[in-house]
């Protein structure tokens, strides 16, 4: 059995939209799937994709430590043209 934990939101219409990417070992196979609905505690917050992105972007450029060093990123490999 493979457990794939996700958090989602129940829409205002009561629908739960869930898309889960199955591991390749299950491709083209018949499976039994079980959906367990467990309400979150009041202090747990689930962010929408946009809210998550906006929160992540709010951290951009926020390192104020003078000793922080960004190491060299190396050279890009030269690839053949497609």
């Amino acid at each position: 059995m493979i457990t794939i934990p996700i958090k989602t939101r129940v829409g205002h219409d009561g629908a739960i939209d869930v898309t889960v990417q199955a591991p390749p070992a299950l491709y083209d196979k018949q499976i039994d799937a079980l959906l367990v609905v467990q309400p979150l505690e009041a202090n747990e917050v689930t962010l929408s994709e946009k809210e998550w992105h906006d929160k992540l972007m709010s951290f951009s450029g926020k390192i104020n430590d003078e000793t922080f060093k960004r190491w060299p990123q190396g050279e890009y490999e030269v690839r053949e043209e497609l």
Side-chain angles (χ1 to χ4, degrees):
M1 180 168 77
I2 299 171
T3 302
I4 304 172
I6 61 169
K7 288 188 180 183
T8 188
R9 183 182 301 272
V10 178
H12 66 277
D13 59 353
I16 302 173
D17 293 323
V18 178
T19 301
V20 178
Q21 180 65 44
L26 298 178
Y27 287 10
D28 202 31
K29 296 206 168 124
Q30 187 172 1
I31 64 167
D32 287 323
L34 173 65
L35 174 65
V36 176
V37 177
Q38 179 176 346
L40 296 176
E41 297 295 324
N43 60 350
E44 292 185 66
V45 177
T46 302
L47 301 177
S48 71
E49 188 173 333
K50 180 173 180 354
E51 290 169 329
W52 180 88
H53 179 267
D54 292 345
K55 184 169 183 71
L56 179 65
M57 298 308 340
S58 73
F59 292 108
S60 177
K62 299 295 183 190
I63 298 176
N64 294 324
D65 184 354
E66 299 277 334
T67 63
F68 180 79
K69 178 178 180 179
R70 181 172 178 182
W71 297 96
Q73 302 299 299
E75 299 294 323
Y76 287 109
E77 63 182 278
V78 177
R79 298 183 175 187
E80 294 181 19
E81 301 253 349
L82 295 178

